[in-house]
């Protein structure tokens, strides 16, 4: 069985370095006990250097990441942060294609450019895909396929080892206006198989099977085990519950026990 990866997406929280530290230190303590699970904390990028100062070499299971990174390294791009800045500030991962970024204007083409540069910079990319709604004609599968193929178009397959995919149906994300709660583990498993099939067209069967496929959308302490066991998820992308230290610690324990 594959090792698990649990990604904490803090989104626009918290709003001060002090609180960021208070949220991070319990994760750091919890990560010490993990044997087979990697935790990736993605705070607002401003806090990366501060949190990176709490990392040490003995804790290989705890990493930092960004929630986005621009498609240019440097230059006249007001307000943007490039992937090399993420890396040099202590980030090893970046989330790309999150539905909340897509809603703010990240098109498939923009996501592809961001993905290419982030991979070339050596970051591991958590590529988010997911449909807005389910329809009886299964058009949503075309959406998932389209998001994957568009993001990976002309991306060399040698980068496969740096790639993770997070399946996050929009309707399941807790901050979505019409969130109806998490998906089911059985449904996730079906989508994960579909995602690997699409990935195998981009790379090959072996690489596609080795690529972690995570579940995200209203993950909490009650449903985490189901996604990891029955759903066979290689990990979880956790938003709201990652801001609750006790609950997040439990999710990490559950992940490690299932690995
Ligand atoms: P949620 O967020 O766990 O609050 O649903 C997940 C995400 O948007 O990444």
């Amino acid at each position: 069985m594959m090792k698990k990866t649990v990604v904490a997406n803090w989104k626009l929280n918290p709003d001060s370095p002090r609180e960021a530290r208070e949220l991070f230190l319990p994760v750091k303590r919890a990560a010490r006990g993990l044997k087979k699970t990697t935790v990736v904390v993605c705070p607002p990028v401003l806090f990366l250097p501060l949190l990176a100062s709490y990392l040490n070499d003995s804790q290989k299971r705890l990493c930092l990441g960004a929630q986005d990174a621009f498609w240019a390294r440097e230059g006249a791009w007001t307000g943007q942060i490039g992937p090399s800045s993420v890396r040099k500030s202590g980030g090893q991962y970046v989330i790309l294609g999150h539905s909340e970024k897509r809603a703010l204007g990240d098109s498939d083409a923009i996501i592809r450019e961001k993905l290419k540069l982030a991979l070339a910079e050596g970051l591991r990319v958590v590529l988010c895909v997911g449909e807005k709604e389910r329809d009886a004609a299964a058009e949503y599968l075309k959406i998932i396929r389209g998001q994957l193929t568009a993001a990976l178009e002309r991306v060399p397959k040698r980068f496969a080892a740096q790639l993770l995919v997070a399946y996050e149906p929009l309707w399941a994300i807790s901050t979505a206006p019409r969130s109806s709660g998490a998906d089911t583990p059985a449904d996730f498993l079906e989508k994960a198989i579909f995602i690997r099939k699409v990935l195998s067209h981009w790379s090959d069967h072996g690489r596609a099977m080795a690529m972690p496929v995570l579940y995200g959308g209203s993950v909490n302490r009650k449903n985490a085990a189901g996604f990891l066991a029955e759903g066979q998820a290689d990990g979880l992308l956790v938003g709201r519950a990652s801001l609750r230290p006790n609950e997040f610690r439990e999710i990490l324990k559950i992940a490690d026990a299932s690995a």
Side-chain angles (χ1 to χ4, degrees):
M1 204 173 259
M2 228 189 258
K3 290 180 177 151
K4 307 291 182 192
T5 305
V6 178
V7 182
N9 179 8
W10 285 4
K11 307 192 181 184
L12 184 51
N13 306 284
D15 70 352
S16 72
R18 185 182 54 79
E19 284 172 278
R21 204 190 63 157
E22 281 168 11
L23 262 180
F24 185 68
L25 291 182
V27 183
K28 179 177 163 166
R29 279 194 294 277
R32 274 197 206 112
L34 298 175
K35 302 214 159 41
K36 296 177 193 146
T37 305
T38 299
V39 202
V40 183
V41 175
C42 300
V45 76
L46 190 63
F47 302 138
L48 275 183
L50 169 71
L51 302 188
S53 72
Y54 293 103
L55 294 179
N56 52 47
D57 288 346
S58 64
Q59 272 200 297
K60 297 264 182 289
R61 302 243 158 263
L62 177 60
C63 304
L64 291 168
Q67 299 166 21
D68 183 38
F70 195 52
W71 46 262
R73 267 187 198 87
E74 59 192 357
W77 302 104
T78 303
Q80 302 301 329
I81 310 263
S84 61
S85 314
V86 169
R87 190 171 48 75
K88 290 172 187 167
S89 301
Q92 294 176 48
Y93 286 72
V94 63
I95 299 171
L96 291 178
H98 192 282
S99 59
E100 288 155 14
K101 288 294 296 174
R102 290 181 193 261
L104 288 174
D106 272 19
S107 64
D108 283 334
I110 291 174
I111 293 162
R112 175 170 58 241
E113 293 312 304
K114 288 182 170 181
L115 184 104
K116 282 202 283 203
L117 188 61
L119 291 171
E121 284 293 337
L123 292 178
R124 301 203 72 192
V125 173
V126 181
L127 173 63
C128 301
V129 296
E131 77 284 359
K132 275 203 189 79
E133 50 197 8
R134 289 278 162 87
D135 59 304
E139 285 294 315
Y140 63 91
L141 289 178
K142 285 193 196 147
I143 291 170
I144 300 169
R145 190 197 303 125
Q147 289 173 339
L148 282 169
T149 48
L152 295 170
E153 201 184 307
R154 292 192 300 277
V155 174
K157 60 182 176 189
R158 67 186 148 87
F159 285 123
Q162 281 168 247
L163 196 66
L164 302 86
V165 174
Y167 172 61
E168 279 207 316
L170 253 77
W171 46 266
I173 295 176
S174 63
T175 50
R178 285 183 293 124
S179 176
S180 47
D183 199 359
T184 64
D187 193 75
F188 166 74
L189 181 55
E190 218 181 276
K191 299 303 162 299
I193 292 168
F194 177 76
I195 286 169
R196 285 192 204 286
K197 211 168 99 192
V198 179
L199 290 173
S200 70
H201 292 148
W202 166 62
S203 53
D204 53 58
H205 179 74
R207 283 187 171 107
M209 292 308 289
M211 242 180 270
V213 182
L214 321 185
Y215 170 74
S218 295
V219 171
N220 57 36
R221 54 153 77 92
K222 294 202 184 97
N223 61 24
F227 285 108
L228 295 161
E230 186 193 341
Q232 297 175 35
D234 301 310
L236 303 165
L237 176 52
V238 189
R240 195 180 293 188
S242 72
L243 300 170
R244 301 182 195 125
N246 289 340
E247 175 150 19
F248 192 60
R249 191 169 43 228
E250 268 187 58
I251 293 172
L252 292 179
K253 274 197 196 147
I254 292 167
D256 213 39
S258 74

